[in-house]
Amino acid sequence: MVRKLQLEDLERIKNEAEGNEEASELEGLYDLIIPPGTPSYIVYDLVEEFELEPLQRRIKVNIVECDERELIVLRGTLEVVQAAEKFLHEELTAWVNSDN
């Protein structure tokens, strides 16, 4: 039996094609996930110093229960994200070890 082409089929094909365009735009970009509770001044410093794009993503976080949360991510190229990750680690270490 021959199946007729439906409007839903065309919409699905269009959405899949648009999804491929989005994937090609993201190629070569990486996200640095900012841990919940990170001081805002550190996030601002990361964005300004490394010129990363701040975004929100829904990510599953397993603290007590596995919940999905909106977290801040900073998007950029691999080299920049790796340098920002090192900076983030150093800043968080200094913040935790401070007397404040």
Side-chain angles (χ1 to χ4, degrees):
M1 178 176 204
V2 176
R3 183 170 174 261
K4 290 185 178 181
L5 187 62
Q6 300 291 321
L7 180 61
E8 292 83 20
D9 296 327
L10 295 174
E11 289 174 350
R12 181 181 46 80
I13 292 168
K14 179 183 174 190
N15 290 337
E16 288 174 358
E18 288 174 355
N20 290 339
E21 290 174 15
E22 289 177 14
S24 65
E25 290 175 7
L26 295 177
E27 192 171 322
L29 296 178
Y30 295 83
D31 288 347
L32 173 61
I33 299 170
I34 304 300
T38 300
S40 59
Y41 73 89
I42 295 176
V43 178
Y44 286 120
D45 289 347
L46 285 165
V47 170
E48 288 179 10
E49 187 169 329
F50 295 96
E51 298 179 2
L52 295 168
E53 179 184 5
L55 302 166
Q56 286 186 334
R57 279 188 38 199
R58 292 193 65 77
I59 298 173
K60 290 189 180 192
V61 178
N62 192 8
I63 296 176
V64 175
E65 295 179 7
C66 191
D67 295 330
E68 197 167 276
R69 295 184 180 185
E70 288 278 336
L71 295 180
I72 298 171
V73 298
L74 304 178
R75 184 169 289 163
T77 61
L78 180 60
E79 297 80 23
V80 174
V81 168
Q82 286 176 334
E85 180 182 27
K86 182 179 177 187
F87 178 83
L88 175 63
H89 183 269
E90 291 168 357
E91 288 294 311
L92 285 175
T93 301
W95 178 67
V96 167
N97 293 330
S98 70
D99 291 335
N100 296 341

